[in-house]
Amino acid sequence: MFELDPAVPAELVPLSWLIGVWEGTGVLAYRAGDQMHEGEFGQRVAFSHDGGRHLQYSCTVWALDAEAEASEALPYFSELGYWSLARPATAADAGPGMIPGVGESDFTTAEQVETLRNAAGSFDIEVSILHAAGVSELYLGAVAGPRIDLATDAVVRTASAKDYSAATRIYGLVEDHLLWAWDIAALGHDLRTHASGRLARVD
């Protein structure tokens, strides 16, 4: 059973069920033209916080096959990011750059955080994710209890990155497992099924 760490800032409580290290497996299935990219993979995901208003996120994926154990497989995909509730920055927030914040946050109590609920009763969130292969995504979405829905608001690619223009992601906590699905628009195609997985908390 998940127990909330009292050190988690009030602003992160709606996302706190993500905190921890998760491991499991998933399936890749993406059709690009006449080619079907598919296979099984192992995955490790970590969500943590440093006392600020963002969750820090990391993900590593490695191929699974009948010949190799997960520990022997080489990672072939990784990404890093930050997750937070969406709200206007205040004087108490650090930035831009390394400029420190001034004063106390307006969202240090559960009552103050409740004022951030949207008309649907969920919390709007912002997620920025950077792929090792030169793609940067900004997602907007919402967290409603143990479910998160995200869609890209912007995608930026380096000159050397492969074509990738949009994505959606869904996360949910089901029977103590983190389930997720990711659709992408890439390689000249519209948004379509890409990958999904099921992870168990290991730490």
Side-chain angles (χ1 to χ4, degrees), residues 124-160:
D124 294 326
I125 62 174
E126 300 172 341
V127 175
S128 57
I129 294 178
L130 177 65
H131 303 200
V135 173
S136 179
E137 302 171 286
L138 171 62
Y139 286 92
L140 302 181
V143 54
R147 178 186 170 107
I148 293 172
D149 292 270
L150 299 171
T152 48
D153 183 59
V155 174
V156 177
R157 294 181 289 121
T158 62
S160 61

Side-chain angles (χ1 to χ4, degrees), residues 47-133:
F47 289 92
S48 62
H49 73 93
D50 59 7
R53 59 178 293 245
H54 298 86
L55 283 185
Q56 290 135 8
Y57 162 79
S58 66
C59 166
T60 303
V61 170
W62 57 92
L64 295 178
D65 58 48
E67 305 296 326
E69 296 294 330
S71 60
E72 299 172 349
L74 294 175
Y76 74 89
F77 173 80
S78 63
E79 58 183 15
L80 301 169
Y82 293 93
W83 300 50
S84 64
L85 298 190
R87 63 161 176 80
T90 69
D93 297 312
M98 296 174 65
I99 299 173
V102 177
E104 293 187 3
S105 170
D106 295 332
F107 304 99
T108 58
T109 69
E111 291 76 14
Q112 291 170 326
V113 173
E114 280 296 310
T115 66
L116 296 175
R117 285 191 187 271
N118 58 32
S122 57
F123 292 95
D124 294 326
I125 62 174
E126 300 172 341
V127 175
S128 57
I129 294 178
L130 177 65
H131 303 200

Side-chain angles (χ1 to χ4, degrees), residues 30-33 162-165 184-192:
Y30 187 75
R31 180 173 294 280
K162 293 182 178 180
D163 176 60
Y164 181 101
S165 58
I184 66 173
L187 304 179
H189 297 281
D190 56 3
L191 199 66
R192 59 186 61 182

